[in-house]
């Protein structure tokens, strides 16, 4: 209580906050960034370890030898697929039945809010086929899923072949204690979403689908497989799911264990594991991997079918077979064995995977950073906002609030209510207008696509993206006219109060975001915080304006795209980058409507209005 | 004065009725921040259907509502909320009158104190609506009425006690307030003081006994005593809420829990005596602090309880300039109230966070509340000190003096 009640110490503290505000802010920001960069280095990254007892201590022996069978299935599947032009449902049903599964199909349809140009689809009609292997030893209360997405782009036929061969092999074993569902989905993620919703008997995204005829209990874990060649050089594993959700780290550990056991080469974010942690090269490479993971997680997209499973509390990951120019190649048997091992270990689970971490960052496949270690990075960045807000509050209230603290009997109190009244009234208009802009940004593009397409020579999908950009830019022009409406008796107090509110609003949002999706929160904080802290209407206005525009959410998205491709060693040219940016905008809107991804509403309803407030502060007259 | 009050009441009741029928009601009645085992609508429905079947509603471990209001439940909730509003309104108005009178009487040094007090009424009505909405939604009915009549006040206090037990501590501020109104000095040696206290205690105890007997005759069993008061005191339901109990007792070994239940529960009652001694001249402020303490330390708190004491903040507008940490504390409370749903989602729906995350926020929220209340308390004491000693103090050596709380 000493700090709360002792005026001497409080005054000293207040003086520190006021006098040293700028250096403290800079220090805090630098500390945040440095902390984040340090996450790739050994003291902060720890080796992963298996926490789940049921999967750790037991041994399994993989016996899968059906490589030829898998290739034959894949050939048949490709032939039938090519013949019918769509998913060969009848063939799949027949084949699944012939290997001894209970087979069901599910048809679904979905009309997208606007045509999806990347995947070239609008009205989607499809059928999912799944077969259930009933465990001989259990009462169908728990199950595991092996899913293969079949899209129009990649047929994934080798994955289907391997899945069928595995099903045939699994069928002959007696040790299964959980049912195993082998699922082939059409239109990749849309099919997965339809199946998951029907399986859990919910409808969250408005997809129409027929109800499922067969179920197999609560799904404990799922593995999605994408393979499109008979041999692979490495397996790439993806963990980032919808809205940045991650599966339990144990599932990844499990995968890694079997990769090591089978001598398979496995990658994360397309990067191999650094071997040498003692020199600088290893950590630098892991920093690259870490940045790639942060960018991917921040996008909040489901990076594979596993991403949708996570929403239903099913731990899941996607494995992709990569066939590059490397000399040494593995055939389907090696991949099949890794999968067999994983499923056998998952079969041992006594309860849901819960022992290991759910919040982590991965600088390499066998290294992780836990939440306690990465949170300070975001914390330091948010501290800048807090310090700045505190300074503004003190400046706003240094006159006549606390008689002992203001120093001297010169300030009678009645100034206070008047000043408050002014600032509160002047805050309402900017707040309302920027929120309304955000709402318009959220609703209008999809709602007005037909109107735009009628009056301008653009397609619907383009119309959505262009309207989005138009409203976004219009927001810059609009709000800074508002403050002329109200009286400005105390101009300085006006913008200070607005900035105070905006700072708290931003800190609140970033805090909430970084708890749910650290990557997104950190990325936005790292870009938005410096501008937010610097902005005031008295400095070099054009410089501030440029800085603010460069750190706006849309610019962050554009920058992230360039950084992403740079890190993947596939640099973008400017025009390519712009095209990718437009596509990303359309995908963001689409994913919000089809999978209820939250990035789009978060940016339009939360961060964009908040950013407009800062824009408003800058052009305060 | 009556017209705005009536308007506010009509709006509040309409909003409540509308929300009650909307789809939002279902969503809100699932939120842990709003619903406690004591006031959960689901449980009320369960109790009603048990009663319809001729089974004692308390026979399961689900229903913990007292039985008298339970017979006309929806009307009751609307009426009591409206009554709470009216009561608060009149109590504050009354309080203002007393303050004015006293200020005139004492010819206070502080020139602007009456001005500030004058400001009290308007914001009271303005800020009422949103708080009221939260209060109504929370469906908690803490009712206390400090009208002039000692008898009515005793009855309402008894009703409040009957419903949720903790308002028993409001007996002391109620008594002090009535004593002040009757110009009876609070002195141990004064005979009038003891007589009046005895009368008031009798009225209160009597009405409590009558209400409890009434519920006995309605159900013809004493089941409700353990099901309601035992439930409140021994905290068997550890559903997460915004309070301090659930996590602590979920983690604890069974054989320690009795001791710690006592330690936790004593917090509500413990501060009454020292507060009564310190604030015997200011019963309304005492009541405010006591309500806040109840809402922090009670076993099943909801945002309705928090909103109730926050509804008093406009009354203490004049303390605003003496508050020291209002900015930081307001930020803490705002941020915590946003983090509650986020962490709840992460824990329950996403399954990636766990109870520790949610409890951390609960803890921060309650620490924020406690600091806020102590800030208000200290501000009040400082204001009182300035009122008697003058605003601009100088120390002996001529420098500006400072007040230090030790």
């Amino acid at each position: 209580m000493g700090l709360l009640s002792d005026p001497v110490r409080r005054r000293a503290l207040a003086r520190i906050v006021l006098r040293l505000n700028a250096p403290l802010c800079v220090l805090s920001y630098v500390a945040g960034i440095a902390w984040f960069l340090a996450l790739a280095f050994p003291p902060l990254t720890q080796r992963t370890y298996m926490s789940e007892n049921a999967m750790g201590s037991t041994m399994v022996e993989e016996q899968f030898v059906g490589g030829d069978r898998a290739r034959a299935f894949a050939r048949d599947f490709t032939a039938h697929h090519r013949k019918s032009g769509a998913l060969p449902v009848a063939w799949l049903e027949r084949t699944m039945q012939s290997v001894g599964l209970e087979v069901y199909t599910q048809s679904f349809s979905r009309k997208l809010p606007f045509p999806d140009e990347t995947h070239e689809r609008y009205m989607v009609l499809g059928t999912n086929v799944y077969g259930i292997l009933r465990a001989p030893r259990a009462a169908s209360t728990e199950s595991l899923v092996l899913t293969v997405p079949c899209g129009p782009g990649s047929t994934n036929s080798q994955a289907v072949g391997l899945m069928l061969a595995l099903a045939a092999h699994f069928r002959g074993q007696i040790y299964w204690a959980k049912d195993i569902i082998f699922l082939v989905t059409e239109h990749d993620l849309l099919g997965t979403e339809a199946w998951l919703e029907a399986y859990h008997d919910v409808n969250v995204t408005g997809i129409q689908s027929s109800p499922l005829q067969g179920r197999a209990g609560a799904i404990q874990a799922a593995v999605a497989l994408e393979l499109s060649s008979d041999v692979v050089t490495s397996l790439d594993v993806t963990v980032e799911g919808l809205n940045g959700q991650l599966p339990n780290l144990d599932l990844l550990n499990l995968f890694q264990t079997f990769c090591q056991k089978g001598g398979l080469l496995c990658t994360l974010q397309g990067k191999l594991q650094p071997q040498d942690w003692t020199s600088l090269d290893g950590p630098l490479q892991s920093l690259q991997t870490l940045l790639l993971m942060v960018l991917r997680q921040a996008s909040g997209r489901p990076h594979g079918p596993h991403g949708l499973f996570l929403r239903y509390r099913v731990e899941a990951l996607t494995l992709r077979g990569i066939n590059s120019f490397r000399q040494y190649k593995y055939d389907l048997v090696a991949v099949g064995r890794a999968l067999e091992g994983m499923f056998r270990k998952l079969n041992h689970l006594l309860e849901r995977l819960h022992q290991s971490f759910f919040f982590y960052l991965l600088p390499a496949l066998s290294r992780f950073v836990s939440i306690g270690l990465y949170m300070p990075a975001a914390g330091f960045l948010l501290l800048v906002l807090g310090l700045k807000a505190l300074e503004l509050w003190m400046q706003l209230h240094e006159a006549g609030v606390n008689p002992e603290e203001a120093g001297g009997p010169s300030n009678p109190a009645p100034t206070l209510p008047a000043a408050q009244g002014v600032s509160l009234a002047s805050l309402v208009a900017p707040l309302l207008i920027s929120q309304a802009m955000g709402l318009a940004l959220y609703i209008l593009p999809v709602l007005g696509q037909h109107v735009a397409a009628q009056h301008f020579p653009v397609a619907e999908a383009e119309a959505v993206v262009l309207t989005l950009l138009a409203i976004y830019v219009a927001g810059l022009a609009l709000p800074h006219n508002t403050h002329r409406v109200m009286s400005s008796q105390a101009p300085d107090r006006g913008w200070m109060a607005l900035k105070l509110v905006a700072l708290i609003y931003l800190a609140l949002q970033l805090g909430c975001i970084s708890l749910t999706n650290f990557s997104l929160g950190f990325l936005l904080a790292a870009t938005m915080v410096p501008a937010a802290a610097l902005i005031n209407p008295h400095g070099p206005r054009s410089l501030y304006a440029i800085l603010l525009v460069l750190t706006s959410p849309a610019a962050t998205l554009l920058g992230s795209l360039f950084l992403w491709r740079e890190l993947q060693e596939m640099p973008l040219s400017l025009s390519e980058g712009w095209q990718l940016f437009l596509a990303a905008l359309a995908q963001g809107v689409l994913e919000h409507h089809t999978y209820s991804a939250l990035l789009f509403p978060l940016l339009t309803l939360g961060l964009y209005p908040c950013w407009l407030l800062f824009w408003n502060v800058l052009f305060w007259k | 004065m009556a017209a705005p009050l009536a308007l506010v009441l009509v709006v509040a009741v309409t909003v409540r009725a509308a929300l009650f029928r909307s789809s939002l009601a279902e969503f809100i009645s699932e939120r842990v921040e709003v619903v406690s085992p004591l006031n959960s609508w689901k449980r009320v429905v369960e109790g009603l259907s048990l009663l319809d079947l001729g089974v004692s509603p308390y026979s399961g471990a689900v229903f913990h509502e007292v039985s008298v209001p339970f017979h006309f439940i929806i009307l009751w909730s609307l009426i009591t909320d409206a009554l709470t509003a009216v009561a608060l309104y009149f109590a504050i108005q009354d309080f203002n009158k007393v303050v004015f009178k006293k200020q005139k009487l004492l010819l206070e040094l502080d020139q602007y104190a009456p001005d500030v007090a004058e400001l009290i009424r308007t914001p009271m009505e303005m800020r009422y609506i949103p708080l009221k909405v939260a209060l109504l939604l929370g469906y908690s009915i803490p009712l206390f009425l400090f009208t002039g009549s000692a008898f009515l006040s005793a009855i309402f206090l008894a009703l409040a006690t009957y419903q949720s037990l903790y308002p028993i501590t409001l007996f002391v501020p109620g008594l002090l307030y009535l004593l002040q109104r009757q110009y009876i000095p609070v002195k141990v040696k004064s005979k009038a003081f003891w007589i009046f206290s005895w009368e008031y205690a009798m009225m209160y105890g009597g009405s409590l006994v009558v209400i409890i007997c009434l519920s006995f005759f309605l159900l013809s069993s004493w089941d409700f005593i353990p099901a309601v008061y035992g439930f409140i005191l021994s905290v068997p339901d550890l559903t997460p809420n915004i309070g301090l109990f659930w996590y602590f007792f979920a983690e604890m070994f069974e054989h320690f829990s009795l001791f710690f239940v006592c330690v936790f529960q004593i917090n509500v009652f413990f501060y009454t005596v020292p507060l009564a001694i310190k604030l015997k001249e200011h019963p309304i402020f005492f009541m405010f602090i006591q309500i806040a303490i109840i809402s922090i330390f009670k076993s099943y708190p909801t945002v309705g309880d928090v909103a109730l004491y926050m509804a008093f903040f406009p009354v203490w507008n004049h303390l605003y300039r003496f508050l020291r940490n209002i900015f930081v504390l307001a930020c803490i409370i705002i941020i915590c109230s946003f983090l509650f749903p986020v962490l709840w989602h992460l824990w329950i729906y996403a399954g990636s966070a766990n109870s520790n995350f949610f409890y951390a926020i609960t803890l921060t929220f309650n620490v924020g509340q406690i600091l806020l209340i102590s800030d208000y308390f200290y501000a009040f004491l400082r204001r009182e000190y300035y009122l008697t000693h003058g605003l601009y103090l100088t120390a002996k050596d001529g420098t500006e003096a400072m007040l230090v709380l030790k």
Side-chain angles (χ1 to χ4, degrees):
Chain A
M1 285 303 284
L3 199 64
L4 291 175
S5 59
D6 183 357
V8 183
R9 265 189 260 171
R10 278 178 57 89
R11 199 182 288 175
L13 200 70
R15 203 170 293 153
I16 289 177
V17 169
L18 275 178
R19 291 239 179 98
L20 297 178
N21 198 277
L24 276 179
C25 284
V26 172
L27 196 68
S28 177
Y29 184 77
V30 171
I33 300 290
W35 189 290
F36 175 76
L37 295 178
L39 289 181
F41 290 83
L44 290 179
T45 62
Q46 296 157 315
R47 291 195 73 87
T48 54
Y49 52 89
M50 188 74 88
S51 304
E52 176 63 58
N53 276 331
M55 296 195 312
S57 55
T58 49
M59 296 295 290
V60 294
E61 188 191 352
E62 300 94 73
Q63 295 161 329
F64 178 69
V65 283
D68 293 332
R69 206 169 177 190
R71 275 188 293 278
F73 279 135
R75 265 197 308 278
D76 274 9
F77 177 77
T78 320
H80 281 89
H81 195 280
R82 213 167 278 155
K83 211 191 302 171
S84 63
L87 193 72
V89 176
W91 179 84
L92 269 172
E93 274 186 281
R94 221 169 38 240
T95 321
M96 280 187 178
Q97 249 150 14
S98 73
V99 299
L101 304 179
E102 259 182 65
V103 189
Y104 304 95
T105 58
Q106 182 215 12
S107 55
F108 63 91
S109 68
R110 177 83 165 95
K111 183 172 177 257
L112 299 181
F114 57 91
D116 181 358
E117 298 205 324
T118 338
H119 297 98
E120 291 171 355
R121 58 192 181 194
Y122 182 43
M123 293 287 300
V124 181
L125 279 172
T127 311
N128 296 326
V129 184
Y130 65 103
I132 302 175
L133 191 164
R134 295 287 175 194
R137 302 187 150 201
S140 284
T141 51
E142 292 179 336
S143 60
L144 305 169
V145 172
L146 178 61
T147 174
V148 173
C150 291
S154 65
T155 54
N156 236 350
S157 48
Q158 273 74 10
V160 175
L162 182 58
M163 186 193 82
L164 290 171
L166 274 174
H169 172 67
F170 286 178
R171 181 73 178 85
Q173 312 302 322
I174 50 153
Y175 41 65
W176 297 115
K178 294 177 175 39
D179 290 359
I180 302 176
I181 302 175
F182 297 91
L183 167 69
V184 181
T185 59
E186 202 173 0
H187 299 291
D188 42 49
L189 295 197
L190 280 175
T192 315
E193 179 66 35
W195 188 81
L196 277 168
E197 286 188 12
Y199 195 89
H200 296 97
D201 205 13
V202 290
N203 194 340
V204 282
T205 57
I207 201 163
Q208 275 109 37
S209 59
S210 58
L212 295 190
Q213 299 301 319
R215 283 194 177 76
I219 305 172
Q220 304 293 304
V223 178
L225 187 63
E226 292 180 12
L227 282 178
S228 36
S229 55
D230 282 345
V231 286
V232 295
T233 50
S234 60
L235 274 183
D236 188 55
V237 58
T238 314
V239 285
E240 301 87 358
L242 189 69
N243 297 326
Q245 213 179 333
L246 300 170
N248 194 293
L249 190 57
D250 267 346
L251 194 62
L252 192 74
N253 294 340
L254 184 67
F255 166 71
Q256 201 212 337
T257 315
F258 281 97
C259 278
Q260 275 176 347
K261 193 176 174 192
L264 265 171
L265 205 58
C266 44
T267 57
L268 184 73
Q269 320 289 351
K271 304 263 178 204
L272 278 173
Q273 200 156 204
Q275 299 300 320
D276 175 24
W277 285 87
T278 46
S279 74
L280 202 60
D281 288 345
L284 278 182
Q285 196 189 338
S286 65
L287 184 63
Q288 266 187 353
T289 319
L290 181 70
L291 276 173
L292 276 169
M293 167 159 186
V294 164
L295 290 175
R296 262 199 186 178
Q297 199 191 359
S299 76
R301 306 179 58 177
H303 289 271
H306 75 283
L308 300 173
F309 279 88
L310 292 173
R311 175 162 52 187
Y312 298 90
R313 292 187 78 167
V314 178
E315 306 313 320
L317 41 79
T318 297
L319 304 180
R320 285 196 180 86
I322 307 287
N323 195 11
S324 66
F325 303 111
R326 217 173 261 277
Q327 288 278 314
Y328 196 81
K329 305 209 190 254
Y330 304 90
D331 63 352
L332 292 182
V333 175
V335 182
R337 285 196 165 175
L339 281 169
E340 185 194 0
M342 283 175 75
F343 271 85
R344 285 200 60 180
K345 285 253 184 171
L346 288 171
N347 185 44
H348 291 155
L349 277 183
L350 296 175
E351 44 190 333
R352 274 175 195 282
L353 284 168
H354 67 282
Q355 299 268 13
S356 195
F357 296 85
F358 284 96
F359 293 105
Y360 51 85
L361 291 176
L362 295 168
L365 199 53
S366 62
R367 304 258 169 173
F368 77 105
V369 186
S370 75
I371 181 167
L373 289 173
Y374 68 62
M375 243 6 205
F380 276 122
L381 295 187
L382 294 184
L383 185 65
V384 176
L385 298 178
L387 281 172
K388 215 65 200 173
L390 206 58
E391 185 200 20
L392 277 175
W393 173 260
M394 284 177 182
Q395 282 172 354
L396 272 173
H397 279 249
E398 65 190 354
V401 183
N402 289 337
E404 316 121 278
E405 282 158 28
S410 54
N411 299 309
T415 55
L416 178 72
Q420 256 192 328
V422 165
S423 59
L424 281 183
S426 63
L427 290 186
V428 174
L431 276 172
L432 278 184
I433 289 179
S434 51
Q435 280 299 332
M437 279 312 287
L439 198 63
L441 192 62
Y442 176 64
I443 294 177
L444 285 185
V446 175
L447 200 68
Q449 51 171 321
H450 299 296
V451 182
Q454 271 168 16
H455 292 88
F456 299 97
V458 285
E460 265 99 352
E462 282 173 322
V464 170
V465 174
L466 294 179
T467 325
L468 208 59
L469 285 175
I471 297 178
Y472 194 91
V473 176
L476 306 190
L478 192 69
H480 62 95
N481 291 326
T482 56
H483 63 270
R484 284 184 202 144
V485 182
M486 64 248 163
S487 64
S488 50
Q489 296 166 3
D492 255 7
R493 299 186 80 91
W495 73 260
M496 278 175 157
L498 183 60
K499 190 177 167 185
L500 181 65
V501 170
L503 282 173
I504 294 171
Y505 190 29
L506 184 63
L508 184 64
Q509 291 187 43
L510 290 178
C512 289
I513 293 172
S514 44
L515 269 175
T516 45
N517 183 349
F518 167 78
S519 300
L520 182 61
F522 179 81
L523 209 62
L524 287 169
T527 49
M528 289 180 85
V529 162
L534 275 178
I535 293 304
N536 68 62
H538 300 310
R541 206 172 259 187
S542 51
L543 197 69
Y544 280 154
I546 291 169
L547 181 66
L548 204 54
V549 169
L550 282 181
T551 56
S552 83
T556 308
L557 176 61
L558 186 63
S560 304
L561 287 173
F562 278 102
L563 179 63
W564 186 50
R565 295 298 285 268
E566 192 63 44
L567 286 169
Q568 285 195 322
E569 286 149 18
M570 288 186 287
L572 281 172
S573 69
L574 270 181
S575 62
E576 274 177 338
W578 182 250
Q579 288 305 321
L580 206 60
F581 173 66
L582 296 183
L585 287 182
Q587 284 301 307
V589 181
L590 263 180
E591 268 159 20
H592 171 58
H593 289 280
T594 47
Y595 315 124
S596 57
L598 287 178
L599 185 68
F600 175 59
L602 209 62
L603 290 184
T604 52
L605 297 176
L607 284 156
Y608 174 67
C610 185
W611 181 83
L612 276 185
L613 287 182
F614 286 108
W615 186 259
N616 221 326
V617 169
L618 181 60
F619 290 98
W620 192 274
K621 278 182 203 129
Chain B
M1 273 295 139
L5 174 67
L7 190 70
V8 166
L9 275 183
V10 168
V11 169
V13 170
T14 321
V15 167
R16 194 214 149 97
L19 279 175
F20 207 78
R21 299 196 72 97
S22 74
S23 59
L24 208 61
E26 203 174 322
F27 170 72
I28 288 171
S29 66
E30 299 277 315
R31 302 295 314 177
V32 277
E33 295 91 343
V34 182
V35 176
S36 77
L38 287 175
N39 64 12
S40 158
W41 181 244
K42 269 187 182 169
R43 291 171 187 251
V44 171
V45 172
E46 169 76 14
L48 274 172
S49 54
L50 281 178
L51 195 69
D52 279 349
L53 294 171
V55 185
S56 163
Y58 300 107
S59 57
V62 172
F63 183 69
H64 305 287
E65 181 76 59
V66 285
S67 56
V68 172
F70 170 55
H71 285 267
F72 40 100
I73 195 89
I74 295 174
L75 258 184
W76 166 267
S77 65
L78 279 174
I79 291 171
T80 46
D81 284 325
L83 271 180
T84 315
V86 178
L88 267 177
Y89 181 81
F90 283 113
I92 300 310
Q93 221 173 20
D94 202 50
F95 166 68
N96 285 347
K97 274 185 208 148
V98 174
V99 168
F100 291 145
K101 251 189 229 166
K102 196 173 145 200
Q103 278 167 348
K104 272 184 198 145
L105 216 69
L106 292 176
L107 291 171
E108 287 166 342
L109 284 169
D110 218 319
Q111 288 297 312
Y112 34 79
D115 304 342
V116 182
E118 200 79 65
L119 285 168
I120 293 168
R121 278 174 210 161
T122 33
M124 188 63 207
E125 293 150 13
M126 299 293 288
R127 289 172 204 189
Y128 214 52
I129 306 162
L131 295 171
K132 199 61 203 155
V133 171
L135 188 67
L136 292 163
L137 290 175
Y139 182 60
S140 70
I141 316 164
L143 190 74
F144 46 91
L145 190 63
F146 290 94
T147 54
S149 152
F151 183 59
L152 263 183
S153 135
I155 288 179
F156 278 109
L157 196 57
L159 267 177
T161 313
Y162 166 68
Q163 187 153 38
S164 62
L165 195 64
Y166 290 118
I168 197 171
T169 50
L170 296 177
F171 176 77
V172 186
L175 175 66
L176 286 174
Y177 182 71
L178 289 168
L179 282 171
Q180 202 181 49
R181 278 183 68 93
Q182 317 244 344
Y183 303 106
I184 300 171
V186 185
K187 278 182 194 152
V188 187
K189 283 178 186 167
S190 149
K191 206 177 167 190
F193 165 67
W194 286 111
I195 291 174
F196 188 81
S197 306
W198 177 248
E199 277 175 15
Y200 189 61
M202 277 294 109
M203 280 189 275
Y204 171 66
S207 33
L208 198 59
V209 168
V210 167
I211 303 167
I212 288 179
C213 289
L214 193 63
S215 19
F216 171 70
F217 290 125
L218 276 174
L219 288 173
S220 54
S221 85
W222 291 109
D223 281 353
F224 69 96
I225 299 272
V228 179
Y229 306 120
F231 183 76
I232 290 172
L233 286 177
S234 65
V235 207
D237 189 314
L238 300 177
T239 315
N241 55 32
I242 58 170
L244 297 164
F245 279 72
W246 62 273
Y247 184 86
F248 202 79
F249 289 99
E251 294 287 311
M252 191 179 298
F253 289 121
E254 194 59 37
H255 49 275
F256 295 124
S257 74
L258 179 66
F259 172 69
F260 279 101
V261 161
C262 296
V263 171
F264 270 57
Q265 294 285 9
I266 212 167
N267 270 308
V268 176
F269 307 99
F270 187 69
Y271 304 108
T272 314
V273 176
L275 281 174
I277 293 168
K278 187 75 199 171
L279 296 173
K280 66 181 178 204
E281 302 292 319
H282 312 284
I284 294 286
F285 188 74
F286 178 18
M287 191 185 73
F288 161 69
I289 296 279
Q290 188 62 49
I291 291 174
I293 286 175
I294 290 176
S295 87
I296 295 168
F297 291 111
K298 74 190 285 194
S299 43
Y300 305 105
T302 61
V303 284
D305 301 309
V306 178
L308 179 70
Y309 82 79
M310 288 197 171
F312 277 88
F313 282 164
V315 182
W316 314 113
N317 254 353
H318 55 286
L319 298 182
Y320 178 73
R321 57 186 299 241
F322 297 104
L323 291 174
R324 288 170 182 264
N325 302 308
I326 183 71
F327 176 66
V328 176
L329 295 175
C331 283
I332 288 180
I333 287 180
I334 291 171
I335 287 178
C336 284
S337 43
F338 276 85
L339 286 181
F340 272 128
V342 169
L343 289 170
W344 180 255
H345 171 86
L346 281 182
W347 174 22
I348 299 298
Y349 296 100
S352 37
N354 52 41
S355 56
N356 301 318
F357 288 65
F358 189 72
Y359 187 63
I361 287 305
T362 313
L363 212 55
T364 322
F365 182 68
N366 281 303
V367 167
Q369 282 192 89
I370 291 167
L371 290 179
L372 186 67
I373 293 308
S374 43
D375 209 11
Y376 262 96
F377 184 62
Y378 183 43
F380 189 83
L381 292 186
R382 270 189 11 178
R383 181 171 174 275
E384 287 304 308
Y385 185 84
Y386 285 131
L387 281 177
T388 46
H389 292 83
L391 190 53
Y392 304 112
L393 302 170
T394 47
K396 277 176 192 156
D397 54 355
T399 54
E400 183 197 348
M402 284 176 296
L403 293 184
V404 179
L405 183 70
K406 281 191 174 158

